[in-house]
Amino acid sequence: MADQNTPDIIYTKVDEAPELASYSLLPIIRSFAAAAGVSVGIKDISLAGRIIAAFSDHLTEDQRQSDDLAALGELVKTPEANVIKLPNISASVPQLVAAVKELQAQGYALPDYPESPETDEEKAVRARYDTIKGSAVNPVLREGNSDRRAAAAVKKYAQNNPHRMGDWSADSKTRVATMGSGDFFSNEVSATLDSAATAKIVHTAADGTETVLKDAVSYPAGTVVDATYMSASALDAFLAEEIEKTKAEGTLFSLHMKATMMKVSDPIIFGHAVKAWLAPVFDQYGDKMKDLGVDPNGGLGALLDKVKDEPEIMQAIEAVRDQRPPMYMVNSDKGITNLHVPSDVIIDASMPALIRAGGKGWGPDGNEHDTNCVIPDSSYAPVYDETIKYFKETGKLDPATAGTVQNIGLMAQKAEEYGSHPTTFEIPADGTVKMVLEDGTVLHEHSVKAGDIWRSASARKAPIEDWVQLAIDRQKAEGCEAIFWLDANRAHDAELIAYVKPILEAKGVADKFQIMAPREATRQTLETIRQGKTSIAITGNVLRDYLTDLFPILELATSAKMLSIVKLMQGGGLFETGAGGSAPKHVQQLVEENHLRWDSLGEFCALGESLKFLADARDNEKARVLGEAVEVATQGVLDNNKSPDRKVGQPDNRDSHYYFALYWAQALAEQSQDAELAAHFAGIAKALAENEEKITADFAAVQGAPVDIGGYYHPDEAKTAAVMRPSQTLNDIIG
């Protein structure tokens, strides 16, 4: 059970632009919620907060923090959970190292991140840090499956104010390149366990040496357990071939990965791409670069920093660059390439942006070009491949008339690939890898070579059944097309289909659903929304992530404005607020120009749902009135074009929060369900309206000059609050 002192709603402290915005928005939320007797607490799941909590024994009493992520992990397993989760950093190694350095500079006596641990102490430190990097937060909090869709107000606004879409041409050279053999998809095996079991993962080298890679991996009955590997030699051959093909085609070379969530496998694959790009340099200077501390998994940026004082190596790198095709750029002005940092190009954000732009990516010359989109594993590459082929044939989508794609995603209890980090390994020597059950049964077995990437993932029975029921409920509510994106020819998907079909038949709704492989489902779904209709995509965990960026970016221009409800399996609620893909650029702009263009619409949507959920859970009708008024306020922000603009001197995030507060207060003052609340907010609404000119002038006055917030990963609270709350008039009104 949750602690009796647990606040009614937990609002998460996170990172980057969403966290900066919280300094402005959260005081408004707390003030308004208090009028309904609703308490709003904070739990720190930021990257810096997680680092501090993990190493509190190294810190002073004043610096220590409790492990809020662990506490939230327990809370979401109770019916009392009501959590508004903002996007947090799923840290790559370069981000983790940068955060540690910043905290050290602030006086936190943290150990350095050991890139190549040798002593037992270094290995223990590395193990602690490894629990923080990558997707450390979402698997802990997502004790339920995902229901994501565009809020009605957001969809209506997007249709009435369609965003710009790039033009597609039939002769576009943009394409997707994927392995097709030797990859995770082609090597996958899967089985459903009849009874609870404990497994160990054993590597047996060619000389007979046995190494237990992971022991005591426990699974409840009914768990779908997968195992697969990617061949390092097949990956290297594929990358070398695609670099040459890209040059011949005259397009940009780009690699699209998820090195944040897939924190073991994808950084290794990324490192292979760096080595392939600089193959002649590694052939000649590999040993010397290793001595200099070069790790290709860290990216080209870190590599260049390590060798900058080695003129021979730098000359060799320049020579190779001249022989390579131009590369897709993160920032062409600053020379930051696709291969600079593994977390800079994240597939679920980068591919939709490129598709929305008509298949164009930014090149080193600062212009847009057709692009070879390299996605090594072929599990989900067909989704993007088919989307590109479709738009080449039919032309761009019209957001003014497009329908919408909702998503029901299987993600509870570390489902599927995103929960595979502890069971992913780079193979040390030729041999075999086996998953062996405690009774000696070999569940899965692969022959592997040194350098191959082997992994196991799983999906439990209870989340799968909950996912299917959630899909049934959503389809009944919408009465529209509903597709399970499952490929009968993929080992894992075949096991899921064996769950899905009997449940649909037992519920008498089998005729309401289709089961289609991702490629075919992609084309049908695009046809459906082109006709202005709704489709429900019912997917696994990774496709949930990919599709809930792809379709919203095409429909709405952003995925940050989606309604994202996680119905926790024990009865609580988790309300997610959208993606934070462009958050770093937003922080940079704030620091340089004191303009924050982050749009908090996702937070508004999550807040309304959280309040209405609270009303039902706690029988608090005042909370329901507040939640319904949030929807009115959100519609007001959209209808009156009060969302943040992009450029300094224009209204920004702080302005949008003021107008949200104004419309929220006005909606509460004008409602008739609760006279006490109406009376309370009448004066607030009047004061906010009468002081509009003064408040917006306060915001405008501070823009244009650099500001100091005391840090990127761990900003100073007082400095950040001063920057984000510059209108004393507004602060006084909301109290």
Side-chain angles (χ1 to χ4, degrees):
M1 293 292 290
D3 190 289
Q4 288 187 342
N5 296 319
T6 300
D8 298 309
I9 296 173
I10 298 291
Y11 202 88
T12 55
K13 176 180 173 66
V14 289
D15 309 280
E16 298 177 325
E19 178 56 21
L20 296 178
S22 293
Y23 279 85
S24 169
L25 180 58
L26 191 54
I28 295 169
I29 293 173
R30 282 178 147 167
S31 174
F32 280 53
V38 174
S39 58
V40 181
I42 298 176
K43 290 291 185 184
D44 186 353
I45 59 170
S46 68
L47 175 56
R50 287 180 276 136
I51 292 170
I52 292 168
F55 289 94
S56 281
D57 55 323
H58 288 241
L59 307 177
T60 67
E61 191 67 38
D62 290 343
Q63 292 173 332
R64 290 174 185 166
Q65 287 185 200
S66 59
D67 189 344
D68 283 2
L69 178 58
L72 276 185
E74 293 304 310
L75 179 63
V76 294
K77 296 174 184 174
T78 72
E80 289 78 14
N82 187 335
V83 181
I84 297 176
K85 184 199 167 291
L86 281 68
N88 59 280
I89 292 176
S90 294
S92 63
V93 170
Q95 288 173 305
L96 181 61
V97 170
V100 171
K101 286 181 178 177
E102 181 177 304
L103 287 164
Q104 288 171 336
Q106 293 175 352
Y108 288 80
L110 296 164
D112 290 334
Y113 176 81
E115 304 222 10
S116 303
E118 294 180 359
T119 67
D120 288 345
E121 183 181 356
E122 287 175 341
K123 290 175 182 176
V125 168
R126 172 66 177 264
R128 282 207 224 182
Y129 276 127
D130 284 351
T131 65
I132 300 164
K133 73 183 185 185
S135 180
V137 171
N138 291 339
V140 174
L141 299 188
R142 287 173 169 168
E143 279 289 319
N145 291 310
S146 169
D147 178 354
R148 295 199 76 185
R149 55 192 187 274
V154 175
K155 184 62 179 175
K156 178 183 173 185
Y157 178 83
Q159 290 179 320
N160 292 336
N161 302 271
H163 59 271
R164 188 185 70 81
M165 297 281 276
D167 292 316
W168 278 92
S169 62
D171 59 356
S172 168
K173 294 180 182 178
T174 292
R175 65 182 178 89
V176 168
T178 192
M179 290 174 69
S181 63
D183 61 353
F184 292 127
F185 179 84
S186 59
N187 290 321
E188 186 175 75
V189 289
S190 185
T192 301
L193 299 176
D194 292 331
S195 56
T198 301
K200 62 180 177 180
I201 301 168
V202 182
H203 173 256
T204 305
D207 64 3
T209 303
E210 280 197 358
T211 304
V212 177
L213 300 175
K214 185 77 174 177
D215 202 2
V217 185
S218 60
Y219 304 107
T223 301
V224 176
V225 182
D226 313 327
T228 186
Y229 74 98
M230 178 176 282
S231 162
S233 60
L235 172 62
D236 290 340
F238 163 75
L239 290 167
E241 183 180 2
E242 287 305 323
I243 290 169
E244 292 306 313
K245 281 185 178 178
T246 307
K247 186 174 181 179
E249 292 166 359
T251 59
L252 302 178
F253 178 87
S254 65
L255 178 72
H256 301 266
M257 305 288 300
K258 189 83 171 183
T260 50
M261 297 288 273
M262 301 304 297
K263 64 183 179 181
V264 179
S265 60
D266 284 24
I268 297 171
I269 297 169
F270 187 89
H272 277 264
V274 172
K275 289 189 74 172
W277 189 260
L278 294 178
V281 182
F282 276 93
D283 288 344
Q284 188 172 1
Y285 298 103
D287 291 341
K288 187 172 183 179
M289 289 196 294
K290 188 175 181 180
D291 292 341
L292 291 168
V294 168
D295 178 4
N297 296 7
L300 194 57
L303 182 154
L304 291 170
D305 186 60
K306 298 276 189 184
V307 303
K308 64 180 184 294
D309 296 325
E310 301 290 333
E312 276 188 54
I313 299 176
M314 290 299 292
Q315 275 186 328
I317 290 172
E318 287 302 317
V320 170
R321 278 180 170 171
D322 292 340
Q323 299 163 16
R324 295 306 193 204
M327 201 190 300
Y328 171 98
M329 302 296 284
V330 170
N331 189 323
S332 50
D333 292 338
K334 296 184 177 181
I336 300 174
T337 72
N338 182 177
L339 295 181
H340 258 62
V341 181
S343 56
D344 268 359
V345 177
I346 299 176
I347 183 171
D348 46 314
S350 60
M351 284 302 300
L354 184 142
I355 291 166
R356 182 191 163 202
K360 302 292 186 181
W362 292 101
D365 60 358
N367 296 315
E368 289 184 308
H369 301 276
D370 290 346
T371 306
N372 181 11
C373 306
V374 175
I375 305 171
D377 181 46
S378 56
S379 296
Y380 307 108
V383 170
Y384 298 115
D385 183 52
E386 193 64 25
T387 300
I388 287 170
K389 288 177 178 175
Y390 177 80
F391 285 128
K392 284 184 187 180
E393 294 170 16
T394 64
K396 64 185 178 184
L397 192 70
D398 182 358
T401 58
T404 191
V405 182
Q406 302 181 1
N407 182 271
I408 300 296
L410 171 61
M411 67 179 192
Q413 298 180 355
K414 305 178 184 180
E416 301 185 301
E417 294 99 320
Y418 283 169
S420 67
H421 320 308
T423 50
T424 301
F425 308 95
E426 189 170 23
I427 300 304
D430 294 3
T432 61
V433 176
K434 297 178 183 178
M435 290 195 78
V436 185
L437 303 185
E438 71 268 29
D439 64 0
T441 301
V442 176
L443 184 66
H444 298 309
E445 179 177 359
H446 289 105
S447 294
V448 291
K449 300 288 186 182
D452 290 351
I453 308 163
W454 187 97
R455 76 174 184 217
S456 177
S458 63
R460 298 184 175 203
K461 179 179 180 180
I464 295 169
E465 292 176 338
D466 179 80
W467 170 63
V468 179
Q469 186 58 53
L470 195 58
I472 292 170
D473 294 343
R474 171 86 351 234
Q475 195 284 329
K476 183 178 180 182
E478 297 291 339
C480 66
E481 170 184 283
I483 303 171
F484 281 90
W485 291 48
L486 297 171
D487 184 352
N489 295 314
R490 180 181 176 185
H492 168 77
D493 287 7
E495 298 297 315
L496 286 187
I497 291 170
Y499 267 112
V500 170
K501 282 186 173 180
I503 296 173
L504 296 180
E505 288 164 3
K507 299 281 185 178
V509 293
D511 60 330
K512 305 289 186 185
F513 294 86
Q514 300 173 68
I515 298 174
M516 304 177 75
R519 181 181 295 279
E520 289 70 30
T522 299
R523 181 163 288 262
Q524 177 155 324
T525 301
L526 288 167
E527 281 291 336
T528 298
I529 63 171
R530 192 179 281 282
Q531 296 166 20
K533 298 176 182 177
T534 298
S535 184
I536 302 170
I538 310 151
T539 70
N541 203 3
V542 177
L543 269 182
R544 168 201 60 80
D545 206 2
Y546 291 5
L547 300 190
T548 56
D549 274 306
L550 174 61
F551 289 114
I553 285 171
L554 297 179
E555 293 178 36
L556 314 172
T558 177
S559 60
K561 301 177 182 179
M562 292 288 282
L563 194 60
S564 183
I565 301 168
V566 181
K567 295 184 177 178
L568 298 171
M569 291 171 61
Q570 298 304 318
L574 176 69
F575 306 92
E576 299 189 276
T577 66
S582 59
K585 294 178 183 176
H586 293 208
V587 179
Q588 181 183 9
Q589 186 178 17
L590 177 82
V591 171
E592 293 176 356
E593 302 178 332
N594 200 359
H595 180 92
L596 185 65
R597 68 178 188 261
W598 176 261
D599 192 338
S600 295
L601 205 71
E603 287 94 295
F604 303 162
C605 292
L607 174 64
E609 292 297 320
S610 171
L611 286 165
K612 289 187 289 181
F613 176 82
L614 181 69
D616 291 331
R618 306 281 178 88
D619 196 25
N620 183 337
E621 286 306 306
K622 289 184 184 295
R624 188 182 314 283
V625 172
L626 247 64
E628 290 172 350
V630 164
E631 293 183 346
V632 176
T634 304
Q635 188 73 61
V637 169
L638 289 167
D639 290 346
N640 294 294
N641 292 316
K642 299 303 183 184
S643 295
D645 287 317
R646 297 178 63 83
K647 296 180 180 178
V648 67
Q650 298 175 324
D652 79 345
N653 176 266
R654 293 162 287 198
D655 294 85
S656 71
H657 292 170
Y658 157 69
Y659 284 105
F660 174 72
L662 170 63
Y663 301 144
W664 194 7
Q666 288 175 337
L668 288 164
E670 293 165 7
Q671 54 80 32
S672 59
Q673 306 99 298
D674 191 303
E676 185 181 5
L677 283 178
H680 175 83
F681 283 101
I684 295 172
K686 183 172 184 289
L688 288 171
E690 289 177 347
N691 286 280
E692 178 180 4
E693 188 174 336
K694 173 70 171 69
I695 292 167
T696 55
D698 289 342
F699 295 147
V702 299
Q703 286 202 43
V707 292
D708 175 20
I709 57 173
Y712 182 90
Y713 295 97
H714 192 242
D716 179 90
E717 293 202 359
K719 289 180 178 179
T720 309
V723 169
M724 292 306 301
R725 303 188 69 200
S727 174
Q728 192 57 48
T729 303
L730 174 60
N731 300 344
D732 290 342
I733 293 170
I734 67 167

